[in-house]
Amino acid sequence: MADRAWDPIVTPWHLDERIPAFPIPATATEVVPPALPDGPVPARMSLLHRAAFDTVEQAARPLVLSGDCPTARAVVAGLQRRHYDVAVLWLDAHGDFNTPAISTSGYLGGMALAMLTGRTPGLFDDTLDLRPVPDTSVVLADSRDVDPAEGDALTTSQVRRVPADPAAITAALDQLGPVPVYLHLDIDVIDGAELPGARFPSGPGPSLAQIEDCLATACANAEVAAAYLACAWLPEHANDEAARQTMTRLTAALGADLAWHEPAANR
């Protein structure tokens, strides 16, 4: 596919909590979190997602660096303003397919893909006007670490599960047809040994180099209209040199060139 410039955007929070040390590339637009009232976490997240949506909607080709996965709602809602049909390529060690009804922990970050496919009605307000993405338009790569009920939900869904392998991803994208793609990557898809300080390490998995190949392949074989890196490091490791190097390599595989302030200042 033809190369187009990326518009880097940073959403420096995890669920409803700001990550003060989240690294901000020199060329990125930072979404400044609004003041959040006391109250339920989903209500607070709704305000953050609206702020992200307002920024994403202004970007020609958003590349979002975030501290969580659920903010993907804002990016996909923004794409849906421009494209009636949007497909999702989701690379993650986890399925992110839990719902409040089946989750054993209640962790909202483990429901992000379920949110996009319309499986969490009433959890958030409806100010984004997010339309459920059909299961048949979703490709889930890797997902080596899923809960039993989550696995059952995936099995009975029509989500296409593939290995985090360039050839498998190419074949899956070919089956989706010529539709704009939202590409989502949670860094925990990478082998845990290569991710010091990860918030949710998932043990052995694809190498960073293999994931770079997956991203480059996706961009070469589909119209990737927006991309998202869930940079789920522990807050105290978010601005480590290793974390920033990983972010730089992953975004370079997408065709973006991140520039960092030196030395990287903690925020």
Side-chain angles (χ1 to χ4, degrees), residues 1 3 6 61 63 65 89-92 141 164-167 169-170 173 181-187 189-190 207-224 226-230 246-256:
M1 300 292 172
D3 290 337
W6 289 102
R61 195 186 187 203
L63 170 56
L65 310 177
L89 171 58
W90 194 279
L91 295 95
D92 201 313
D165 172 80
I169 287 174
T170 297
L173 291 173
V181 172
Y182 164 75
L183 190 160
H184 183 102
L185 170 75
D186 189 327
I187 55 101
V189 73
I190 300 166
S207 68
L208 173 56
Q210 184 172 346
I211 294 301
E212 288 175 290
D213 288 343
C214 289
L215 299 182
T217 294
C219 288
N221 289 277
E223 181 192 346
V224 179
Y228 186 111
L229 265 62
T246 299
M247 294 165 71
T248 299
R249 287 182 59 176
L250 292 170
T251 52
L254 294 168

Side-chain angles (χ1 to χ4, degrees), residues 142-214:
D142 191 63
S143 61
R144 62 186 182 270
D145 185 3
V146 299
D147 296 333
E150 180 186 25
D152 292 343
L154 282 166
T155 298
T156 57
S157 77
Q158 293 183 285
V159 170
R160 186 178 292 107
R161 298 179 70 182
V162 300
D165 172 80
I169 287 174
T170 297
L173 291 173
D174 286 345
Q175 292 181 38
L176 291 176
V179 60
V181 172
Y182 164 75
L183 190 160
H184 183 102
L185 170 75
D186 189 327
I187 55 101
D188 64 27
V189 73
I190 300 166
D191 191 296
E194 295 189 47
L195 288 176
R199 190 185 287 258
F200 301 111
S202 294
S207 68
L208 173 56
Q210 184 172 346
I211 294 301
E212 288 175 290
D213 288 343
C214 289

Side-chain angles (χ1 to χ4, degrees), residues 12-178:
W13 55 74
H14 181 82
L15 304 186
D16 66 333
E17 297 180 357
R18 182 174 171 80
I19 304 172
F22 199 97
I24 313 295
T27 54
T29 299
E30 179 181 1
V31 179
V32 178
L36 300 179
D38 293 334
V41 172
R44 290 161 56 89
M45 290 172 65
S46 290
L47 295 174
L48 292 170
H49 295 173
R50 181 68 208 194
F53 171 85
D54 290 342
T55 301
V56 165
E57 199 175 27
Q58 303 303 313
R61 195 186 187 203
L63 170 56
V64 177
L65 310 177
S66 185
D68 69 9
C69 288
T71 307
R73 298 177 61 246
V75 186
V76 173
L79 284 185
Q80 289 177 338
R81 298 301 184 277
R82 307 173 197 177
H83 309 282
Y84 184 79
D85 293 316
V86 175
V88 172
L89 171 58
W90 194 279
L91 295 95
D92 201 313
H94 306 95
D96 285 3
F97 216 63
N98 276 307
T99 66
I102 66 173
S103 174
T104 58
S105 66
Y107 174 56
L108 294 174
M111 305 180 192
L113 186 55
M115 294 171 188
L116 293 188
T117 58
R119 287 175 166 81
T120 59
L123 186 60
F124 299 101
D125 64 32
D126 62 356
T127 61
L128 298 183
D129 294 325
L130 176 67
R131 301 191 303 273
V133 178
D135 289 1
T136 51
S137 296
V138 178
V139 176
L140 174 60
D142 191 63
S143 61
R144 62 186 182 270
D145 185 3
V146 299
D147 296 333
E150 180 186 25
D152 292 343
L154 282 166
T155 298
T156 57
S157 77
Q158 293 183 285
V159 170
R160 186 178 292 107
R161 298 179 70 182
V162 300
D165 172 80
I169 287 174
T170 297
L173 291 173
D174 286 345
Q175 292 181 38
L176 291 176

